[in-house]
Amino acid sequence: MGSINWIKEVEKRKDDLISDLQGLLKIESVLDEENTSKEAPLGENVRKALDYMLELGEKDGFVSKNSGNVAGHLEMGTGEQLIGVLGHVDVVPAGDGWSVNPFEGVVQDGKIFARGAIDDKGPTMAAYYAMKIIKDLKLPLEKRVRLIIGTDEESKWRCVDHYFQHEEMPVMGFAPDADFPIINAEKGIADFDLVQNVQEQNEQAATITLLSFVSGLRYNMVPDKAKAVLDVKENHTELMQMFNDFLSSQDLQGQYYVESGYSIIELEGVSAHGSEPDKGRNAGLLLASFLSTVDLDNKGMTFVSSAVAFFFGDSRGRNLGVQYKDKISGELTINVGIMSYNEQEGGKFGLTMRYPVTFKWKEGLETLTKSVEEKGFSVANHTNAEPHHVSEDSELIQVLKNVYEMQTHQPASLMAIGGGTYARSLKSGVAFGALFPGRPDVAHQKDEYMELDDLVKATAIYAQAIYELAHEK
């Protein structure tokens, strides 16, 4: 077999690659648990995105399979062993502030803009076209290759849980859902709530009562909006001036207005992925920090002051006694993805903790539980996904390193992340692109995009990688 110019093969198919990606990006495949059915367990649009990929594969001659309407695969090749490539077609909500339609796939300035462009529809389509190129060229394979398509990666991973209960586990594989070069370590992911324990007590007189507080949509997103409704008994003008001064001092945007006799305060932050909370500005925590300086009722003050005491300026768990770091995967992080409060029931913080490979989760949970109980909170609804680590000596990593270095002429260093990818679903799996070094990480942000040059380059890398992992030796 002569040398294959993988970039050239992608360039031949670039227009089709972009067109097929736009078709996928136009599907608003956000989890919709309020409108589910047996045929669409995660919502109709999520099912549409899965069907789109399966139908595309069938048209191009791949063997397709729908697994429980929550996952599926496209397969090629023959042989006993199976190589897996795991992508996902669900996306987080678009949010506000986009300069283009987030579900259109607008191409401009050498980029394709849409929710899911980089996380993870663009990389998934790149992996699909990588397989398509190998198939078009009729290259001999001694192993089967499956593009495994998930639909619940941004939530509870019910897709891959179901899939691997019913389908074959690949001997090795990768997830095109993070950064290049190679991510061989993923932190543990623990999601849980801190719930305010509300007890009957004699409220001290206060000029302001916190009626409600809302911020955030998902545990794994830094919230970019927060809203509080207040019953202000006196000094409206003074409170408004305090808030405007706060906005000015913190270089923030927000508004204060009165509606139906109640004061409403809204504040804007900056969204980011919950695995790296310091890349955003948490609107909920910022609003709580302001409210902690005013004369609130006891219950409301407990909520906002606890938010400040637990989390403000501390995404590393220091204030909760769980700060930790190791050489393999770095520091523990905590993101406050959801904050909610009402006058009757009190408040709740929805958290995601990303903890290092060597962190002892059970001991950490005990320490954290004791810390919050002292402030009148309890831990509830916790889930935990164990850390994932693949040795540098493995065949998988050695092949991927060689391919990456051949295609980019850059060193293929190994990395660890706080985000969770489908790689951890595999016994031997790593995250492999598609965000190149030096590119801004715009996943989960407004005006999310993928560079078209990067889309082409990633497709070429994936094509060679899949071929090297699966071809006849």
Side-chain angles (χ1 to χ4, degrees):
M1 181 64 62
S3 178
I4 300 169
N5 188 327
W6 298 102
I7 285 285
K8 185 177 180 180
E9 293 298 334
V10 181
E11 290 285 359
K12 291 178 185 178
R13 301 162 175 82
K14 182 178 178 180
D15 290 346
D16 289 340
L17 168 60
I18 293 171
S19 178
D20 284 338
L21 175 55
Q22 286 175 316
L24 182 59
L25 292 170
K26 289 178 181 179
I27 303 170
E28 191 172 349
S29 49
V30 176
L31 174 66
D32 182 9
E33 295 193 273
E34 295 182 0
N35 298 285
T36 63
S37 65
K38 183 178 180 180
E39 292 72 27
L42 303 173
E44 183 178 346
N45 282 338
V46 172
R47 173 64 194 275
K48 284 181 180 178
L50 174 63
D51 287 346
Y52 180 93
M53 289 303 301
L54 295 179
E55 290 167 6
L56 183 64
E58 290 169 3
K59 175 177 68 69
D60 288 333
F62 292 93
V63 176
S64 72
K65 183 173 183 180
N66 178 319
S67 181
N69 297 324
V70 295
H73 69 242
L74 299 170
E75 182 176 310
M76 68 177 183
T78 58
E80 292 186 8
Q81 293 191 327
L82 177 67
I83 303 297
V85 182
L86 284 76
H88 69 91
V89 294
D90 60 308
V91 297
V92 298
D96 299 323
W98 285 68
S99 61
V100 297
N101 184 334
F103 295 102
E104 189 64 32
V106 173
V107 173
Q108 61 185 32
D109 302 324
K111 303 170 182 175
I112 186 163
F113 291 84
R115 175 59 83 225
I118 191 66
D119 182 21
D120 182 44
K121 292 179 177 180
T124 297
M125 191 61 72
Y128 173 76
Y129 263 77
M131 291 175 58
K132 176 175 166 58
I133 289 169
I134 294 170
K135 192 173 189 304
D136 288 349
L137 296 178
K138 297 181 171 59
L139 299 178
L141 303 178
E142 68 173 8
K143 298 172 186 173
R144 290 169 293 130
V145 180
R146 280 185 186 174
L147 175 61
I148 299 168
I149 303 157
T151 63
D152 193 33
E153 195 273 347
E154 299 291 0
S155 185
K156 300 177 182 178
W157 286 34
R158 286 162 287 192
C159 48
V160 289
D161 288 347
H162 173 89
Y163 184 86
F164 286 117
Q165 286 173 6
H166 297 86
E167 302 294 337
E168 181 181 354
M169 173 63 69
V171 293
M172 65 180 72
F174 62 86
D177 188 23
D179 295 6
F180 283 123
I182 301 167
I183 293 169
N184 71 318
E186 297 186 10
K187 295 178 183 176
I189 303 176
D191 291 346
F192 53 95
D193 296 330
L194 301 187
V195 180
Q196 186 175 2
N197 300 322
V198 178
Q199 298 177 347
E200 292 296 328
Q201 55 184 349
N202 295 322
E203 285 285 348
Q204 296 179 350
T207 58
I208 304 171
T209 300
L210 178 61
L211 300 179
S212 68
F213 187 111
V214 292
S215 180
L217 299 171
R218 298 281 182 86
Y219 292 85
N220 66 342
M221 295 177 68
V222 175
D224 61 358
K225 294 187 181 299
K227 177 180 178 180
V229 179
L230 307 169
D231 183 3
V232 181
K233 300 174 180 62
E234 57 186 54
N235 298 326
H236 281 275
T237 303
E238 179 181 348
L239 181 62
M240 183 182 299
Q241 186 59 52
M242 288 176 64
F243 182 61
N244 288 332
D245 290 345
F246 174 79
L247 293 177
S248 178
S249 68
Q250 299 294 320
D251 192 24
L252 294 167
Q253 298 294 315
Q255 57 180 333
Y256 181 113
Y257 57 97
V258 177
E259 188 175 273
S260 301
Y262 297 118
S263 295
I264 299 175
I265 298 179
E266 297 180 349
L267 186 148
E268 297 181 16
V270 178
S271 184
H273 196 285
S275 64
E276 298 190 72
D278 289 347
K279 289 188 175 182
R281 301 192 72 187
N282 193 308
L285 294 181
L286 287 162
L287 183 53
S289 73
F290 168 73
L291 292 175
S292 69
T293 66
V294 305
D295 185 23
L296 279 186
D297 63 289
N298 285 346
K299 193 185 302 179
M301 179 58 75
T302 296
F303 174 72
V304 298
S305 64
S306 295
V308 173
F310 292 157
F311 311 113
F312 192 75
D314 175 23
S315 64
R316 299 305 193 253
R318 289 185 293 270
N319 296 338
L320 296 176
V322 290
Q323 182 181 12
Y324 190 86
K325 180 179 181 180
D326 69 19
K327 291 183 179 180
I328 298 174
S329 50
E331 292 183 290
L332 177 150
T333 64
I334 295 178
N335 178 60
V336 189
I338 299 173
M339 296 174 62
S340 62
Y341 175 92
N342 66 67
E343 186 184 14
Q344 291 73 36
E345 299 175 352
K348 180 176 72 173
F349 306 117
L351 311 178
T352 184
M353 176 193 288
R354 310 299 171 104
Y355 62 88
V357 170
T358 60
F359 181 76
K360 296 180 180 178
W361 158 244
K362 290 184 179 180
E363 294 179 9
L365 179 61
E366 291 176 2
T367 299
L368 184 145
T369 299
K370 291 178 182 177
S371 297
V372 301
E373 283 178 346
E374 294 173 358
K375 298 286 188 178
F377 284 77
S378 57
V379 176
N381 306 319
H382 69 271
T383 62
N384 178 46
E386 296 289 337
H388 179 72
H389 179 231
V390 177
S391 170
E392 182 175 2
D393 298 331
S394 70
E395 176 189 354
L396 172 66
I397 290 180
Q398 291 306 308
V399 169
L400 298 185
K401 286 181 69 172
N402 290 337
V403 169
Y404 182 83
E405 290 174 356
M406 287 178 63
Q407 289 290 332
T408 67
H409 308 291
Q410 298 294 324
S413 56
L414 301 183
M415 302 183 296
I417 59 168
T421 75
Y422 283 154
R424 68 174 61 222
S425 296
L426 299 174
K427 291 180 179 177
S428 178
V430 299
F432 190 45
L435 187 68
F436 284 91
R439 298 296 195 197
D441 185 356
V442 292
H444 294 201
Q445 298 185 30
K446 63 183 179 183
D447 286 343
E448 177 183 345
Y449 67 87
M450 187 173 187
E451 298 272 357
L452 293 180
D453 286 347
D454 292 354
L455 179 65
V456 170
K457 191 187 302 183
T459 304
I461 290 172
Y462 292 150
Q464 184 179 355
I466 292 168
Y467 177 63
E468 295 292 343
L469 289 169
H471 82 286
E472 293 180 350
K473 299 294 193 291

